[in-house]
Amino acid sequence: MRDIAVDILDLTKKYGTFTALRNVSLDIRDNEFFTLLGPSGCGKTTLLRCIAGFEDVTTGAIRLYGEDIADLPPNKRPVNTVFQNYALFPHMNVTQNIMFGLLRLGQSDAQARARVGEVLEMVQLTEFATRLPAQLSGGQQQRVALARALAPNPKVLLLDEPLSALDLKLRQAVRLELQQLQRETGITFVFVTHDQEEALTMSDRIAVIAEGHVQQVGNARDIYQAPVNRFVADFIGETNLIDVEVRDVSGGMATCDLPGGAAFTCPAAAGAKAGKGHLSVRPERMTFAKAGAALLSGTVARHVFLGTDMQVDVRLSDDELLTVRVQNSEDSHIPEPGAAIGLNFEAGAARLLVD
C-alpha cells in the first residue's frame, strides 16, 4: 500500500448559508494521478482550492503526508497549482515566467536557470525559451504553466481544468503527455475536470462529486462498470436506465421483472432494495435479437451515425427509449427504423442502482 499523499478528513466548506462541500473524506495516494470529476458547481474546484490553501475549511482537516496543513497559508504548502487560464505573465518570456517563482523561493540565478532548462526539456519547449506568451499557441502556453508549476518540485501538483481551453485534437494529445509526465516525475497529481473521457483515460482513481458530496471513488473500470447509484451511472458515459420491479435483493444480487414481464437476475449496488428500481445497461452491452424471443421487445425509432459507431434508438411498448451502440463495419446488421426488434444483454452487463 502506497503512502497517503493527501488525506481529507470530514471536510465541510460553507459560504454563508450555502454549503459547497459536505463531510468530504478522501485519501489520495503518493505518486497517484487522482481526478475530481463532476458537473459544474459540484464543489470539485472548491475542494482543490482548499487543498491549495486559497480557501479556508469550515470544519474538518487536510493532511499532507501526515502533516495537518489546514492552517498553513498557500505559500507554505509544498503544493503547486496549474490554473484553467494558465496565469502567465504577459510581459515575461518563457524562461522568466518559470524563473520568477524559483527566485522568490531563494534560488540563485544560476540554479533557477538550470532548473528552467530541465523542466523545458521535460515539456518539450526548449526552443521556445525566449518567446513571450502571446507568441505561443494555447497548447504551448499550457505546457509553460505546467513547467512553471513543476519547477519547484512540489510534493503535490493541483490541476484545475487545465485542458478546457484547448481544441479536441490538442486536448487528446496533451492528456497522454500529462499522464506520461506524472509517471516520469513521480509527483502526485490531483486533476479537476467535468470531462468524463478525460477522467476515464488519465486517472489511476476517480472521485465522482455531486452537490458537494463524494458519490463514488474507484478506478476507471469500477466507476464505469459498477456505478453505485443513478447519478454516477448517468454522468459517466452513456447508459440506459431501465425501469424494473425488484422482487428481491440478497447477497449482492437482485431479481427483477423487466418491462414486458421477463424475470432477470443481476448484480445490485449496495443499498438497493425491493420495489421500483432502475437497471443500468451500457449501450455497447446491448444486442439485437428476434422480436418476441428476447428480454425486451420494441421498435427501432431512429439511427444516429457517429463515425466509428451507429447509435440505434429502440422504443419499448411503454414508450421508454433505449439506446444500442453498434460498431460500423460491413458485418454489422443494423435493423431499419420501424422494424420490430428484440434486445438482449448478459446479467453482467446490467446493474441495479440506488436512486
Side-chain angles (χ1 to χ4, degrees):
M1 179 75 177
R2 285 180 285 181
D3 291 339
I4 302 301
V6 182
D7 202 8
I8 299 165
L9 305 167
D10 204 24
L11 187 149
T12 293
K13 173 61 181 177
K14 293 185 177 182
Y15 298 96
T17 59
F18 173 69
T19 303
L21 295 167
R22 189 188 304 273
N23 307 120
V24 171
S25 293
L26 285 173
D27 58 89
I28 300 171
R29 299 165 188 162
D30 183 42
N31 191 21
E32 183 173 42
F33 198 123
F34 190 92
T35 295
L36 305 174
L37 172 67
S40 297
C42 72
K44 57 189 184 297
T45 294
T46 299
L47 181 55
L48 197 79
R49 289 176 62 83
C50 288
I51 298 170
F54 302 135
E55 299 283 355
D56 295 328
V57 303
T58 304
T59 60
I62 302 174
R63 294 177 185 161
L64 188 72
Y65 292 94
E67 179 186 358
D68 192 333
I69 62 168
D71 294 328
L72 285 180
N75 64 317
K76 298 295 184 181
R77 301 185 184 200
V79 303
N80 256 354
T81 306
V82 179
F83 298 99
Q84 188 173 350
N85 62 1
Y86 312 142
L88 300 176
F89 298 117
H91 61 289
M92 294 184 181
N93 65 27
V94 168
T95 296
Q96 292 166 336
N97 261 283
I98 300 171
M99 282 184 66
F100 181 81
L102 298 176
L103 295 173
R104 288 179 64 87
L105 289 171
Q107 292 191 15
S108 68
D109 188 83
Q111 288 174 320
R113 286 188 182 277
R115 181 57 179 160
V116 169
E118 292 173 2
V119 293
L120 284 181
E121 185 175 353
M122 199 182 295
V123 299
Q124 302 174 35
L125 281 180
T126 302
E127 61 192 278
F128 298 93
T130 59
R131 292 196 185 180
L132 293 170
Q135 297 172 314
L136 303 173
S137 69
Q140 290 163 346
Q141 290 181 36
Q142 191 268 345
R143 291 183 191 179
V144 175
L146 188 60
R148 183 178 61 183
L150 288 169
N153 281 314
K155 289 185 177 181
V156 177
L157 186 65
L158 310 175
L159 302 105
D160 187 11
E161 305 213 40
L163 310 185
S164 60
L166 307 180
D167 63 53
L168 178 61
K169 286 281 188 183
L170 186 55
R171 203 159 64 237
Q172 291 171 334
V174 175
R175 282 177 199 164
L176 298 176
E177 293 174 6
L178 269 180
Q179 194 177 40
Q180 181 63 28
L181 198 57
Q182 191 275 325
R183 299 289 184 264
E184 290 174 357
T185 61
I187 295 172
T188 301
F189 278 26
V190 183
F191 186 88
V192 163
T193 185
H194 63 273
D195 187 311
Q196 301 97 318
E197 187 175 312
E198 275 182 9
L200 291 172
T201 56
M202 298 171 67
S203 314
D204 293 317
R205 288 191 303 148
I206 301 164
V208 183
I209 300 175
E211 297 181 343
H213 294 271
V214 175
Q215 305 291 315
Q216 185 172 358
V217 179
N219 63 37
R221 191 176 295 274
D222 290 339
I223 296 287
Y224 186 79
Q225 294 185 348
V228 296
N229 59 33
R230 183 171 178 170
F231 174 83
V232 175
D234 201 27
F235 185 73
I236 304 296
E238 294 179 71
T239 198
N240 292 297
L241 295 172
I242 304 171
D243 295 331
V244 294
E245 190 67 35
V246 184
R247 295 186 196 175
D248 179 64
V249 180
S250 178
M253 300 295 290
T255 302
C256 311
D257 290 330
L258 296 169
F264 186 74
T265 300
C266 67
K273 299 176 182 178
K276 295 188 181 300
H278 294 91
L279 290 189
S280 169
V281 186
R282 300 292 182 184
E284 69 274 12
R285 303 292 298 275
M286 303 193 81
T287 57
F288 296 119
K290 289 184 178 179
L295 290 170
L296 298 167
S297 295
T299 303
V300 177
R302 61 176 175 265
H303 293 168
V304 181
F305 180 74
L306 300 172
T308 57
D309 296 342
M310 181 72 79
Q311 175 181 312
V312 182
D313 293 333
V314 176
R315 192 173 302 280
L316 305 186
S317 58
D318 62 357
D319 213 35
E320 192 170 357
L321 197 67
L322 302 183
T323 296
V324 183
R325 284 286 192 101
V326 182
Q327 190 167 22
N328 279 321
S329 72
E330 292 183 1
D331 297 329
S332 297
H333 300 290
I334 301 173
E336 293 298 320
I341 195 70
L343 295 174
N344 279 330
F345 44 89
E346 299 174 0
R351 185 173 177 81
L352 179 65
L353 302 176
V354 176
D355 284 346

